[in-house]
């Protein structure tokens, strides 16, 4: 089973190459300490709407440096999508390997007991990469990462906003089940969704 320390020491453990449907080559790989400036460019380039739908604490170089400095220091695993030809970061996937008490409580109310074999995740794509099917091509890699860390189920990081219909459709497509709703501090309604990571096709057990 993988650990955050092992991935930080050898990012190639989780580095994969993808050829998108339009022929574009991208790399799916762990965030590294040398990514701060490129990650800042990614965050700064997100539109107001993309920022509304995300969960980042900031969208500048300082925020990017904090994310890079946190590698293998806390419970978070962050992976990026990197445009092959340019090296530009065009996506960020966040995993939280620990569960927040508020998540545990909400899921308990829905009759679901979260355990140490569950994790949280949240994806964000650059605006010009949205709506191109990138998320669908990347999702098998996301599920594989969770399995390699010994996780059996995935819940959404902070839920998904009820008005984010495109994201809800995406999660439904990949097998997530809606289990409840809640209202955030800002008054916005969100849905909790969970995915049971069945063994890959052809895998015993």
């Amino acid at each position: 089973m993988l650990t955050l320390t092992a991935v930080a020491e050898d990012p190639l453990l989780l580095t994969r190459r993808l050829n998108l449907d339009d022929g574009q080559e991208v790399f799916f790989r762990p965030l590294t300490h040398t990514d701060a400036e490129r990650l800042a460019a990614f965050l700064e380039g997100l539109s107001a709407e993309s920022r509304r739908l995300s969960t980042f604490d900031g969208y500048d170089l300082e925020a990017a440096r904090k994310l890079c400095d946190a590698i293998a220091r806390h419970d978070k695993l962050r992976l990026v999508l990197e445009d092959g030809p340019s090296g530009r970061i065009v996506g960020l996937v966040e995993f939280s390997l620990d569960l927040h008490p508020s998540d545990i409580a909400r899921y308990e109310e829905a009759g679901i007991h979260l355990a140490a074999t569950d994790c949280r995740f949240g994806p964000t794509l650059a605006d010009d990469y949205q709506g191109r099917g990138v998320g669908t091509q990347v999702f098998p890699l996301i599920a594989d990462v969770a399995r390699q860390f010994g996780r059996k189920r995935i819940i959404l990081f902070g839920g998904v906003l009820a008005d984010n219909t495109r994201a809800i459709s995406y999660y439904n497509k990949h097998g997530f089940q809606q289990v409840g709703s809640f209202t955030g501090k800002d008054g916005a309604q969100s849905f909790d969704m969970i995915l049971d990571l069945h063994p890959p096709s052809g895998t015993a057990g």
Side-chain angles (χ1 to χ4, degrees):
M1 187 169 69
L2 282 183
T3 65
L4 294 175
T5 299
V7 172
E9 292 176 350
D10 185 6
L12 289 177
L13 289 171
L14 291 179
T15 297
R16 304 289 185 269
R17 183 176 65 181
L18 278 175
N19 288 312
L20 303 181
D21 291 339
D22 59 5
Q24 186 73 32
E25 180 185 63
V26 297
F27 291 92
F28 180 72
R29 62 168 178 80
L31 181 71
T32 68
H33 292 288
T34 61
D35 282 327
E37 291 190 1
R38 287 188 295 170
L39 182 60
F42 165 75
L43 294 172
E44 291 168 354
L46 293 174
S47 66
E49 178 64 5
S50 290
R51 295 185 184 194
R52 184 182 74 86
L53 300 175
S54 69
T55 58
F56 304 119
D57 292 332
Y59 299 87
D60 54 16
L61 182 57
E62 180 182 0
R65 284 174 173 162
K66 287 182 178 178
L67 295 180
C68 292
D69 289 343
I71 293 173
R73 290 179 53 198
H74 305 293
D75 71 309
K76 302 295 190 301
L77 171 67
R78 296 181 172 95
L79 303 106
V80 297
L81 277 176
E82 177 187 294
D83 176 77
S86 68
R88 171 190 165 213
I89 290 177
V90 297
L92 178 63
V93 175
E94 293 193 290
F95 280 95
S96 180
L97 302 179
D98 288 341
L99 299 171
H100 195 277
S102 62
D103 292 321
I104 294 173
R106 289 200 315 274
Y107 277 81
E108 285 285 357
E109 290 180 2
I112 297 173
H113 176 68
L114 297 180
T117 52
D118 299 324
C119 65
R120 301 185 292 166
F121 108 109
T124 304
L125 287 176
D127 285 73
D128 59 326
Y129 269 69
Q130 296 174 18
R132 294 170 52 182
V134 178
T136 293
Q137 288 189 254
V138 171
F139 193 79
L141 301 181
I142 292 171
D144 184 60
V145 168
R147 291 189 186 99
Q148 290 196 58
F149 275 86
R151 269 43 187 186
K152 297 180 179 179
R153 295 184 300 187
I154 300 176
I155 67 171
L156 301 183
F157 201 116
V160 57
L161 287 170
D163 65 355
N164 191 356
T165 55
R166 183 162 65 180
I168 292 170
S169 176
Y170 170 75
Y171 295 130
N172 284 330
K173 177 180 179 180
H174 292 287
F176 281 82
Q177 301 294 318
Q178 183 180 326
V179 296
S181 65
F182 64 96
T183 302
K185 294 179 180 179
D186 59 357
Q189 183 186 24
S190 294
F191 297 135
D192 277 321
M193 303 183 77
I194 190 168
L195 171 68
D196 188 354
L197 287 169
H198 301 293
S201 179
T203 300

